[in-house]
Amino acid sequence: MVEKAKFGSKIGLVAATVGSAIGLGNVWRFPAETQANGGAAFLIVYVLCVLILGIPVMLAEFSLGRSGGTDAVGAYRKFSRRTPWWLAGALPVLAAYLILSFYMVVAGWTLEYFLQSLTGALYAGVADGSASPTGLFHERMREYICGTSGPLLNTYALIVLNLGVLLFGVRKGIERLSNVLMPLLFVLLLVFCCVSLSLPKASEGLKFFFSPDFSKITPAVVVNALGQAFFSLSLGMGILITYAAYYPKDTRLAKTAVTVSLLDMMAAILIFPAVTSFGLGDADLEGTALVFVTLPEVFSRMPATQVWSSLFFLLLLVAALTSTVSIAEVSVSFVQNRFHRSRRAACLIVLLPLFVLSALSAMSFGVLSDWKLCGLVFFDFLDTLATNIMLPVASILLCVFIGWRHPGVLRGELSNYSERDHRLQRPVEFVVRWVAPCLILVVLISGLL
Ligand code: PFF
C-alpha cells in the first residue's frame, strides 16, 4: 500500500496550486491573447470566465480529487467501479503527459535565455549599433530554437531539475519548492510591473488597458477567453485532481479555489504592462516573439540591461518550473498508485521517456521540421491535440461526472461534510451541470474548426 502524502500547511498547498496555475500561460499566452482579441474588452471577458466558469470547474476537480484521495484515474474508478468512466481520468493523464513533453522544451528555452542574460551573450553585438536589435534578436531566437544541441541540452536540464524536485516527494519537494519560489515570483512580478509603469510608453499601455472597446467582443473572443482561462487555471489536465488528493480534509475548497484564481489573475495582470510596454504596436506578434524578441529589445534600451533581463527570464523559469512539476506529478501519482510503484520508481518511469519524447519536440523546429503530422510539426501537433481537443473533452466529462452522476461529491466536499450547505453550492452545481459543459463544447468545436 502506498503511503498517502499530504501537503503540510495551508500556505504550502496554496503555493503549490498557484505555482501550477502561474506559468508561461500567464506571462506570454495571456498578453498575446489580450492583444489579439481586442485588448481591455478581452480582459473583462476573461475575468468573467475565470469567476463564473473557472472557479466552479476548479471546485469540481478539487472535490473529485480530495474525495478520491488518489490519482485522476483512481478518483473516477472509486466512484464508478466496473464502468468505462476511468477513461475520463485516463484522458487528462495522457493529455498532461503530452503537454509536459513539449512544455519542458519551452521551459528549456527560458533557461537558455536566463543563462544568456546572465553571461551577457544575448546582448553581445547590440551595444555597438552594428545591427538593428529587432532583427538581431529575431535571428538569435531562430538560430537557437531551430538548433539541435542547445534546445536538447536545456530540455534535458529541465527534466533533471524536475526529477530532483519530484524525488523529494510532495511535502519536501513540491511544497518546499513552491514555498520558496512563489514569493520570489510575486516579488519579481511586482518589480516588473513598477519598472514598466515608469517606462516612457507606460501611459499608452495603461490607456490600452483601461479603455475597453466593447464592440470588439465577438463569439470568437469569448471562446478564446474561455480557453485561456482554462489553460491558465490548469483545468482539465488532472493537476488539480492530483493536488487535491494531497489536501487535508479540513481545507476549505471554495476559499482555496478563489485564492488561487485571484492570484493567477493578478499575476497575469501584473506582467501585462511589462510585456506590452514596447510591443503594443505589433498586435500580431505571437507570444514566443513577444517574449524572446520584443523584451530583450526593451531590456537592451534600459540601463542595467543584463540585470533586468536575467531577472525577467528567472521569473519565466520559476513560473515554468513550478508548472512542469505539477503536471509531471499527475503521471507520477498515476504510476505510483495504479502500478504500486515506489515514488522513486514512478518518477523515473515518468521522466526518463521524456528524454526521447521531449527531444522530438525540441528538434521539431530544426532538423525535424520536415516531419509533419496533420500538417503540423511534432511540437505544434502535440500542442493542438492536447490543448484544443483533449483538455476540453476531459473538462466536459468531469462536469458530467461530478454534476450529473455524483453531485453528492461536490456537495459534501464543498461543505467539508458538515450538516449545513455551503452557500456556493447551488450556483456552483448549476454551472458544473449546465453552463460549463455547453460552453466548453463550443470551445471544443471552434478549436476543431
Ligand atoms: N496554468 C499553466 C500555465 O498557465 O502555464 C498551464 C500549464 C501548462 C501547467 C503546462 C503545467 C504545464 F506543464
Side-chain angles (χ1 to χ4, degrees), residues 307-318:
V307 175
W308 293 120
S309 182
S310 307
L311 286 178
F312 178 78
F313 287 107
L314 176 66
L315 184 157
L316 266 188
L317 182 60
V318 166

Side-chain angles (χ1 to χ4, degrees), residues 92-172:
V93 173
L94 182 61
Y97 197 65
L98 297 181
I99 294 177
L100 174 66
S101 75
F102 67 79
Y103 204 87
M104 266 319 176
V105 177
V106 186
W109 297 346
T110 67
L111 174 62
E112 170 76 13
Y113 271 67
F114 170 60
L115 295 176
Q116 283 206 21
S117 304
L118 268 187
T119 59
L122 184 60
Y123 297 96
V126 176
D128 61 14
S130 55
S132 110
T134 312
L136 189 73
F137 288 123
H138 230 286
E139 204 32 55
R140 280 201 178 149
M141 180 185 81
R142 268 184 50 79
E143 224 170 72
Y144 167 69
I145 289 178
C146 301
T148 305
S149 57
L152 271 184
L153 276 178
N154 287 306
T155 304
Y156 289 168
L158 256 295
I159 297 174
V160 173
L161 259 175
N162 269 269
L163 192 59
V165 176
L166 289 165
L167 279 175
F168 278 101
V170 174
R171 218 179 262 200
K172 290 197 183 138

